[in-house]
Amino acid sequence: MSSDATEERVLEAVRARRTLVNDALDTDVPMQSPERLYEATRYLLEAGGKRLRPTVALLTAESLADVDPLTADYRSFPALDGSEVDVMSAATSIEVIQSFTLIHDDIMDDDDLRRGVPAVHREYDTETAILAGDTLYAKAFELLSNTGADPANGVAAVSRLATTCTQICEGQALDVEFEHRDAVLPEEYLEMVELKTAVLYGAATSTTALLLDADADVVDALYQYGIDAGRAFQIQDDVLDLTVPSEQLGKQRGSDLIENKETLITLHARQQGIDVESLLESTDIDAVSEAAVENAVATLDEAGSIEYASNTATDLVERAKNHLEVLPDNDARSLLCDIADYLITRGY
Amino acid sequence: MSSDATEERVLEAVRARRTLVNDALDTDVPMQSPERLYEATRYLLEAGGKRLRPTVALLTAESLADVDPLTADYRSFPALDGSEVDVMSAATSIEVIQSFTLIHDDIMDDDDLRRGVPAVHREYDTETAILAGDTLYAKAFELLSNTGADPANGVAAVSRLATTCTQICEGQALDVEFEHRDAVLPEEYLEMVELKTAVLYGAATSTTALLLDADADVVDALYQYGIDAGRAFQIQDDVLDLTVPSEQLGKQRGSDLIENKETLITLHARQQGIDVESLLESTDIDAVSEAAVENAVATLDEAGSIEYASNTATDLVERAKNHLEVLPDNDARSLLCDIADYLITRGY
């Protein structure tokens, strides 16, 4: 299938599930009292987002159960042990965790914009943003511990999600630490990306598989799919941060570079002898012009650094797709394959 | 038994379990990489604390299993269904949640001191404090989902803890909201205290009871014990904030009053026609003298407001103790009774 046709197929699959996930989020994270708190918990959820992680969770369920996509009820989904499981709650719990981490990360990174709207701590205040994140955190565990799965599978899924959250915190701590360090090795960067971003993709697939009573080797392979796809996703994000116009990104283009955040691209450039700090004159995001970013990107491009990152992401996507061989050969598996491709072909 | 003898018995029981809980916390929240993150997660845990909540959890286990206090191994504790359960992890998970909420609350309330040492966001920075809290949050769920309990009981306990965390966030949101509101009703204040403080005592008893396979009515009664004892604890905390010297409190005496935080005491005083805002001239915690606090307290005392709060706490303790009748009549139950008394007789 052509790349365009693949992308269209992925976007259609994501769109269809996004609508269902958004409806489920209205139920799973309802507006209630205290109003200001719950408005803030819902604010970023309502600001949009592609819902890639929950889509991956739902497709994992559909492939494992070998059902035709979008034919089974996600709220009482047929598990392999014959029980019925609310896999939608597993999917929303992942999105809710993602949302909590974005809210807290934006405070820590002092970022003003997210998904084209003010970050929660800007729209409300830091106190409310901390608390909104904490509330979503709890909601995710409420959701995942009430799926109706066999309790042994339920408790395994919860344990997996908890470990994932610990790792995400470790990844964020490393990310902050790297900003204050002189030298970061590419493998250290990749470990940080694995912890900060990829493990949540791993949780999306593996918690779903656990709830559905999949065998341990299947759970492991699906986890690895998530890890490799998630790492590719983050590396592509770093590429897009440099190559996509600000309007399309929903935030300032080149913000990582402006704020001296290490990425695989800057690490490669350093190894080529480029003085990364001097690429831009200011670290103030409002003082850097689009043209200055354009020039800096041209230098990184000539050094082969952007291509290096892209190639790394492509390799990871190939590894991700190979892990899917544990799944039955069906449409949902094929879509998971295409999504892995899409993660690095997407324009934003 | 005399009140002094009761207090000595409670302190001895708490001391003995505190040592074990502290050792368990070293295992359950180990120092690891990234170092700065884990140092910050351990910083407040190491600063002390009476470990009342985990002590209540462990005593609940001992009474339910009807074992002599301190004779059974908390890590493989005899459940009512014949299985062995790590009730220590349930106990440490509660302390870890408590620690996470204190770290985030201190950021939100901009408090400088906690347990006589700088708050985590002062000792480190706000970013690290947010992340340390988030890490502890995940650790608590890791701990509670790995106790070896029957999975149905394990997943019920996790669900209970998640709901508890949601409630704590709601309570903190109400607490912040009340600071900006003209009129707060005493019943609204009591609801806030239930959410912010009491539910974690309820979780200490009820998650332990769930893990040990106690009947639903026993779990409910023990939960109510926690709620009533926890509300009494918080009301007493408000009294102590006014009546105990700063050195003993580990923070500025009268800080709630200085910062215009509503308590049952100020709400009662308002109903007596006292202009609470005018009791102290400054809302700056460093500008208010011990003598000024002393004068303000005298006014509240004359209005009967401190006695009103103390009486409310006493009533709650009586209700708490009545709930314990579901437990076997043994030493551990008797200690849970004494702890309820101690919550309002303690000096700090």
Side-chain angles (χ1 to χ4, degrees):
Chain A
M1 208 185 293
S2 80
S3 160
D4 274 4
T6 303
E7 177 153 338
E8 192 40 53
R9 211 165 82 96
V10 166
L11 291 178
E12 197 187 306
V14 171
R15 251 194 314 267
R17 285 163 189 80
R18 177 167 59 219
T19 306
L20 298 170
V21 167
N22 285 344
D23 288 348
L25 284 167
D26 288 343
T27 308
D28 290 352
V29 188
M31 186 58 213
Q32 62 195 78
S33 170
E35 278 185 27
R36 190 177 158 84
L37 173 64
Y38 279 100
E39 271 175 28
T41 64
R42 293 197 45 83
Y43 174 77
L44 181 59
L45 289 172
E46 286 174 358
K50 289 188 281 295
R51 315 301 190 214
L52 277 178
R53 294 162 192 80
T55 294
V56 164
L58 296 174
L59 284 169
T60 299
E62 293 175 301
S63 181
L64 272 171
D66 206 10
V67 297
D68 285 335
L70 299 168
T71 58
D73 180 359
Y74 292 127
R75 292 291 193 187
S76 52
F77 197 86
L80 305 183
D81 60 2
S83 67
E84 289 191 337
V85 174
D86 179 357
V87 291
M88 182 56 91
S89 283
T92 54
S93 76
I94 297 294
E95 186 68 17
V96 164
I97 288 289
Q98 165 70 359
S99 193
F100 131 66
T101 62
L102 293 178
I103 293 171
H104 281 192
D105 282 4
D106 284 344
I107 305 171
M108 292 182 236
D109 299 341
D110 201 19
D111 282 334
D112 295 332
L113 281 181
R114 173 68 71 174
R115 292 177 177 161
V117 297
V120 176
H121 68 287
R122 290 275 172 257
E123 180 70 18
Y124 296 83
D125 51 63
T126 300
E127 293 69 31
T128 305
I130 292 174
L131 210 47
D134 290 346
T135 305
L136 289 168
Y137 209 152
K139 283 279 172 196
F141 283 95
E142 279 192 76
L143 289 167
L144 198 61
S145 55
N146 288 286
T147 62
D150 176 272
N153 295 329
V155 89
V158 166
S159 175
R160 179 70 66 115
L161 185 66
T163 300
T164 300
C165 291
T166 307
Q167 292 172 317
I168 293 172
C169 293
E170 292 173 359
Q172 172 69 5
L174 286 177
D175 198 13
V176 172
E177 184 190 320
F178 289 172
E179 281 177 69
H180 304 101
R181 253 222 255 158
D182 276 347
V184 177
L185 299 172
E187 50 273 32
E188 290 181 305
Y189 173 79
L190 288 172
E191 192 210 341
M192 182 275 283
V193 164
E194 175 165 337
L195 291 169
K196 187 174 169 177
T197 303
V199 291
L200 195 56
Y201 279 92
T205 52
S206 63
T207 57
T208 304
L210 283 166
L211 292 174
L212 293 181
D213 202 50
D215 289 341
D217 59 328
V218 174
V219 174
D220 286 350
L222 289 170
Y223 181 73
Q224 281 306 323
Y225 163 83
I227 294 294
D228 288 332
R231 296 210 289 182
F233 172 85
Q234 184 59 49
I235 293 167
Q236 177 69 5
D237 239 30
D238 297 341
V239 171
L240 294 176
D241 185 71
L242 289 173
T243 56
V244 173
S246 303
E247 316 86 76
Q248 212 172 330
L249 276 179
K251 58 176 185 173
Q252 165 75 48
R253 174 183 174 193
S255 59
D256 291 345
L257 198 60
I258 299 167
E259 289 165 352
N260 284 327
K261 281 217 156 192
E262 292 294 354
T263 63
L264 205 53
I265 300 157
T266 56
L267 293 171
H268 179 273
R270 282 178 203 284
Q271 290 183 328
Q272 309 310 305
I274 291 176
D275 182 0
V276 173
E277 272 74 27
S278 305
L279 285 174
L280 292 169
E281 277 172 20
S282 171
T283 58
D284 176 3
I285 206 153
D286 299 319
V288 175
S289 70
E290 197 84 7
V293 173
E294 192 74 48
N295 274 333
V297 171
T299 307
L300 293 169
D301 200 19
E302 279 159 32
S305 302
I306 293 179
E307 192 184 359
Y308 169 75
S310 292
N311 287 345
T312 305
T314 303
D315 288 348
L316 286 165
V317 163
E318 286 311 308
R319 284 168 52 177
K321 292 194 288 188
N322 287 335
H323 293 302
L324 293 178
E325 279 168 22
V326 292
L327 289 172
D329 183 6
N330 52 29
D331 281 355
R333 180 178 93 171
S334 166
L335 279 165
L336 285 170
C337 244
D338 293 345
I339 283 181
D341 283 324
Y342 169 73
L343 292 177
I344 54 168
T345 55
R346 70 201 163 100
Y348 67 101
Chain B
M1 210 185 293
S2 79
S3 160
D4 274 4
T6 304
E7 176 152 338
E8 191 41 52
R9 211 165 82 95
V10 166
L11 291 178
E12 197 186 306
V14 171
R15 252 192 315 265
R17 285 163 189 79
R18 178 168 56 220
T19 307
L20 298 169
V21 167
N22 285 344
D23 289 348
L25 285 167
D26 288 342
T27 308
D28 290 353
V29 188
M31 186 58 213
Q32 61 194 77
S33 170
E35 276 185 28
R36 189 177 159 83
L37 173 64
Y38 279 100
E39 272 175 28
T41 64
R42 292 196 46 83
Y43 174 78
L44 181 59
L45 288 172
E46 285 174 359
K50 288 187 282 296
R51 315 298 190 212
L52 277 178
R53 294 163 193 78
T55 294
V56 164
L58 296 174
L59 283 169
T60 299
E62 292 175 300
S63 181
L64 271 172
D66 206 9
V67 296
D68 284 336
L70 298 169
T71 57
D73 179 0
Y74 291 128
R75 292 290 194 188
S76 51
F77 198 84
L80 305 183
D81 60 3
S83 67
E84 289 191 336
V85 174
D86 179 357
V87 291
M88 181 56 91
S89 283
T92 54
S93 76
I94 298 293
E95 186 68 18
V96 164
I97 288 289
Q98 166 70 1
S99 193
F100 131 66
T101 63
L102 294 178
I103 292 171
H104 281 192
D105 282 4
D106 284 344
I107 303 172
M108 292 182 237
D109 299 341
D110 202 17
D111 282 334
D112 294 333
L113 280 180
R114 173 68 70 174
R115 292 178 177 161
V117 297
V120 176
H121 68 287
R122 290 272 172 260
E123 180 69 18
Y124 295 83
D125 50 63
T126 299
E127 293 68 32
T128 305
I130 293 174
L131 209 48
D134 290 345
T135 306
L136 289 168
Y137 209 153
K139 283 277 173 199
F141 284 94
E142 278 192 77
L143 288 167
L144 198 61
S145 54
N146 289 286
T147 62
D150 176 89
N153 295 330
V155 88
V158 166
S159 175
R160 180 70 65 115
L161 185 66
T163 300
T164 301
C165 291
T166 305
Q167 292 172 317
I168 292 171
C169 292
E170 291 173 359
Q172 171 70 4
L174 286 177
D175 198 13
V176 172
E177 184 190 320
F178 289 173
E179 281 177 68
H180 304 102
R181 254 222 253 157
D182 276 348
V184 178
L185 298 171
E187 49 274 31
E188 290 180 305
Y189 173 79
L190 288 171
E191 192 211 341
M192 182 276 284
V193 164
E194 175 165 336
L195 291 168
K196 187 174 168 175
T197 304
V199 292
L200 195 57
Y201 278 92
T205 52
S206 63
T207 58
T208 304
L210 283 166
L211 292 174
L212 293 181
D213 202 49
D215 290 342
D217 60 328
V218 175
V219 174
D220 285 350
L222 289 169
Y223 180 74
Q224 281 305 323
Y225 163 84
I227 294 292
D228 288 333
R231 295 210 289 182
F233 171 86
Q234 183 58 50
I235 293 167
Q236 178 68 5
D237 239 30
D238 297 341
V239 171
L240 294 175
D241 184 73
L242 289 172
T243 55
V244 172
S246 303
E247 317 85 76
Q248 213 170 328
L249 276 179
K251 57 176 186 172
Q252 165 75 48
R253 175 184 173 193
S255 59
D256 291 344
L257 198 59
I258 299 166
E259 291 166 350
N260 285 326
K261 280 217 157 192
E262 292 295 353
T263 64
L264 204 54
I265 301 158
T266 57
L267 292 172
H268 179 272
R270 282 178 203 283
Q271 290 182 329
Q272 309 311 305
I274 291 176
D275 181 2
V276 173
E277 272 73 28
S278 306
L279 285 174
L280 291 169
E281 276 172 21
S282 171
T283 58
D284 175 3
I285 207 151
D286 299 319
V288 175
S289 71
E290 197 84 5
V293 174
E294 192 74 48
N295 275 333
V297 171
T299 307
L300 294 169
D301 201 18
E302 281 158 31
S305 303
I306 293 177
E307 192 185 0
Y308 169 75
S310 292
N311 288 344
T312 305
T314 304
D315 288 347
L316 286 167
V317 163
E318 286 312 307
R319 284 168 52 176
K321 292 194 288 189
N322 287 335
H323 294 301
L324 294 177
E325 280 168 22
V326 293
L327 288 172
D329 183 6
N330 51 29
D331 282 355
R333 181 179 92 171
S334 167
L335 278 166
L336 285 170
C337 243
D338 294 345
I339 283 183
D341 283 325
Y342 168 73
L343 292 177
I344 55 168
T345 55
R346 70 200 162 101
Y348 67 100

